[in-house]
Amino acid sequence: MSREVLLEMTRREIENLENQRIDLAPDIHKIPTASYHDPGRYEVEVERIFKRLPLALGFSCELKVPGDYRAMTVAGVPVLMTRGNDGEAHAFVNMCSHRGNFVVEDDAGNAKNFRCRYHAWTYGIQGDLISVFDEKNFGEVDKACNGLTPLPVAERGGLIWVTLDPKAQVDIDLFLAGYGDVLDHLRFKDTYVGGRQSMEGPNWKVAYDGYRDFYHVPILHRESFGPDGPSQADYYSWGPHVRVSSPKGHEIFAGRPEDEWTNDEMVPGVWTIFPNISIAGSPVTGSYMVSQMFPGKTVGESHTIQNFLMFGDEAEKDEDALKQYMSFMHDVVYGEDYFTGFNVQQSLATGAKEFSYFGRNEGGGQLFHKWVDALIETEDEDLNALLEKGIAGRN
Ligand code: FES
Ligand SMILES: [Fe+2]
C-alpha cells in the first residue's frame, strides 16, 4: 500500500494553491434534464447500474467476528451480509427458501444462525440450510440445494462490496481500478460504526450531484459551515470513482519535508465510490461520515443512510457529542442539500429547460454522468471490457 498516490495528490494541491488555480475540465458538460425525471430512464439506471455493479454496502469493521451480520434492502433487493466461520465476508439474498420471508429483519448484530420467523426454517451464518421445522410432516428437503442464494461479495479497502445480481460477471478489480488500495489509506479498519441515520431525498442523481460539488459549499451552506468553506476543487479518478479535494487547507504542509506529512493529514476531502457513496472526514477529525444513496421506489425518490465511522475506543464513545454531530449533519444534508434537491427535482420535471450544466470546475460531476451514460448503454457481456478500457481521457 504505497503512500505515493497520496503524496502526488498533495503535491498537486500545494502547487495549485501556490498558483491560485484548480484543474479544469476541457469544456462545460450538458446533461439532458429528462435523465433526472424520466421513469423509463430511472428503471434502466436501477437495472444496469445498481443491479449489476458491485456496491459498497457494508464495512469490514461491522462484520468483525463470525456471526456478525447486517441486513438491508437495496433497490428492492433484501440483502444479508455476514462474517462466516471461515473468516470471510458472505452475502445472500435475505430470502427464505421455503416461501420467501426475510430470514432476518433489516438490522445489524451478531447471530449464531438465522431462524425464519414464518415457519422456523433455520440457516447457518454461511447461508446453509440447517433445519426444516417438522420435516417429518413437511416432507424431505434436499438441504444442500436449499441454502440462501449467495451474492457475489468482495472485501476491499475496509468495505464489503456486494453485487445484487447472483449471476453477475463484473470483475470487482476492473471496477475498482486500484481504488480499493487507495481507500486502505482511510483506515476504515481502525473505526467502528458509532451511529447511523437515514433520510429520504430527491432522485438519486440529484441527491448525489451535491456530494461531488464544492462549488455550492460557501453558498448553500453559508449558515451551517460558514462562508469560508472551499468552493474550488480538484478531481482525481480511478475508473468511475472520484476523489474531490480542495487546495484550501493544504497550507498545513508548507515548509515541512514530505516525509513528515502523515497519511492522516493527506486524506481529507470527499472520496466518492461509484455509483452512490460519499466519504467525508478524516482520522484527524476523529470520524468519517459515509453516505450511501439508494434509488427510491420512483424516479423522484431516494433513500440515504449516513454512517458515522469513529476512531478510538468504542467503550469511551462520547454519546452526546456524536448525537449533536449527527443531528447537525442531518440538518445540513436534509435541510440544505435535499431541501434544494427537492426544488431542483420539481423544476426539472416541468421540462422548461432541456439541459443542466456541469462547469469546467465540476469535473467530478462530468465524469459521473459520463460513466452513467456509458454503463446504461453497455450490454452485460461488454461490461468488463468497458471497465477495462475506461472512459477516454479521464482514467
Ligand atoms: S417462509 Fe421461511 S420458513 Fe416459511
Ligand atoms: Fe452540500
Side-chain angles (χ1 to χ4, degrees):
M1 184 175 57
S2 163
R3 71 189 219 116
E4 187 55 31
V5 63
L6 295 180
L7 288 168
E8 273 173 28
M9 287 186 282
T10 305
R11 288 183 203 121
R12 181 78 188 146
E13 297 308 313
I14 293 168
E15 196 185 316
N16 281 350
L17 183 70
E18 284 170 0
N19 296 319
Q20 298 281 301
R21 68 180 297 280
I22 49 171
D23 299 334
L24 299 174
D27 297 297
I28 292 173
H29 186 59
K30 298 200 296 187
I31 308 287
T33 52
S35 80
Y36 290 103
H37 65 83
D38 176 63
R41 164 81 184 208
Y42 155 81
E43 270 167 33
V44 174
E45 288 173 352
V46 172
E47 288 303 317
R48 295 210 144 182
I49 293 175
F50 283 87
K51 292 201 176 162
R52 63 177 189 172
L53 291 179
L55 302 173
L57 294 188
F59 304 98
S60 302
C61 68
E62 63 182 335
L63 300 184
K64 262 205 177 95
V65 298
D68 281 353
Y69 73 89
R70 181 169 170 201
M72 60 198 295
T73 299
V74 181
V77 180
V79 177
L80 171 60
M81 292 172 277
T82 69
R83 178 72 64 192
N85 286 318
D86 56 2
E88 300 292 321
H90 297 263
F92 312 96
V93 181
N94 181 13
M95 174 187 183
C96 180
S97 305
H98 177 216
R99 284 221 295 281
N101 188 28
F102 291 3
V103 297
V104 62
E105 293 303 312
D106 283 0
D107 201 353
N110 183 276
K112 286 201 165 41
N113 49 51
F114 301 102
R115 184 171 181 264
C116 178
R117 293 211 289 192
Y118 203 173
H119 314 88
W121 285 29
T122 301
Y123 302 84
I125 55 176
Q126 288 178 211
D128 44 312
L129 175 59
I130 297 172
S131 66
V132 170
F133 172 58
D134 197 13
E135 192 172 3
K136 183 164 67 78
N137 290 310
F138 183 89
E140 200 179 327
V141 175
D142 182 352
K143 296 196 185 58
C145 300
N146 282 286
L148 301 176
T149 303
L151 294 172
V153 63
E155 201 164 5
R156 302 277 193 283
L159 293 148
I160 312 287
W161 310 73
V162 179
T163 310
L164 299 182
D165 174 2
K167 298 189 185 71
Q169 298 294 322
V170 178
D171 181 323
I172 175 101
D173 292 313
L174 282 181
F175 175 66
L176 285 177
Y179 198 49
D181 291 342
V182 182
L183 291 175
D184 274 332
H185 291 298
L186 274 62
R187 296 205 287 118
F188 282 145
K189 66 176 179 10
D190 300 327
T191 65
Y192 62 92
V193 179
R196 189 171 267 152
Q197 62 192 2
S198 57
M199 64 190 72
E200 305 311 307
N203 170 272
W204 72 277
K205 290 185 301 181
V206 170
Y208 198 36
D209 281 346
Y211 289 86
R212 279 175 272 96
D213 154 20
F214 283 180
Y215 191 30
H216 75 285
V217 171
I219 320 296
L220 182 62
H221 300 307
R222 188 184 177 84
E223 299 297 324
S224 51
F225 291 148
D228 299 324
S231 69
Q232 297 183 332
D234 291 307
Y235 300 93
Y236 303 90
S237 61
W238 296 261
H241 316 290
V242 170
R243 183 202 183 185
V244 188
S245 178
S246 167
K248 204 168 176 172
H250 284 72
E251 295 86 352
I252 60 163
F253 299 103
R256 292 167 57 201
E258 280 187 9
D259 57 8
E260 285 182 14
W261 302 353
T262 67
N263 290 359
D264 288 357
E265 288 175 317
M266 292 192 279
V267 299
V270 172
W271 300 81
T272 74
I273 301 172
F274 190 90
N276 67 331
I277 308 284
S278 146
I279 302 164
S282 80
V284 175
T285 58
S287 67
Y288 290 108
M289 183 176 81
V290 182
S291 305
Q292 299 174 292
M293 257 73 56
F294 297 105
K297 288 201 168 88
T298 68
V299 61
E301 298 170 278
S302 64
H303 179 73
T304 298
I305 303 173
Q306 291 179 334
N307 304 272
F308 294 84
L309 270 69
M310 320 292 292
F311 287 92
D313 184 350
E314 189 166 4
E316 289 167 17
K317 177 164 95 171
D318 183 340
E319 294 278 2
D320 289 341
L322 176 62
K323 224 166 123 184
Q324 224 174 8
Y325 179 55
M326 287 174 64
S327 164
F328 174 73
M329 289 314 302
H330 178 279
D331 292 350
V332 169
V333 174
Y334 191 71
E336 297 176 359
D337 290 298
Y338 291 0
F339 176 86
T340 306
F342 285 121
N343 290 347
V344 168
Q345 187 73 38
Q346 190 179 341
S347 59
L348 290 175
T350 64
K353 303 276 188 200
E354 200 179 341
F355 296 104
S356 287
Y357 298 103
F358 284 80
R360 298 184 63 201
N361 58 345
E362 298 182 287
Q366 295 198 11
L367 186 62
F368 168 78
H369 287 280
K370 287 175 185 173
W371 269 102
V372 169
D373 287 346
L375 284 160
I376 66 172
E377 285 160 14
T378 302
E379 299 302 327
D380 292 359
E381 58 272 24
D382 301 326
L383 210 43
N384 284 330
L386 171 71
L387 293 170
E388 194 162 15
K389 184 165 77 71
I391 288 184
R394 294 295 316 198
N395 290 286

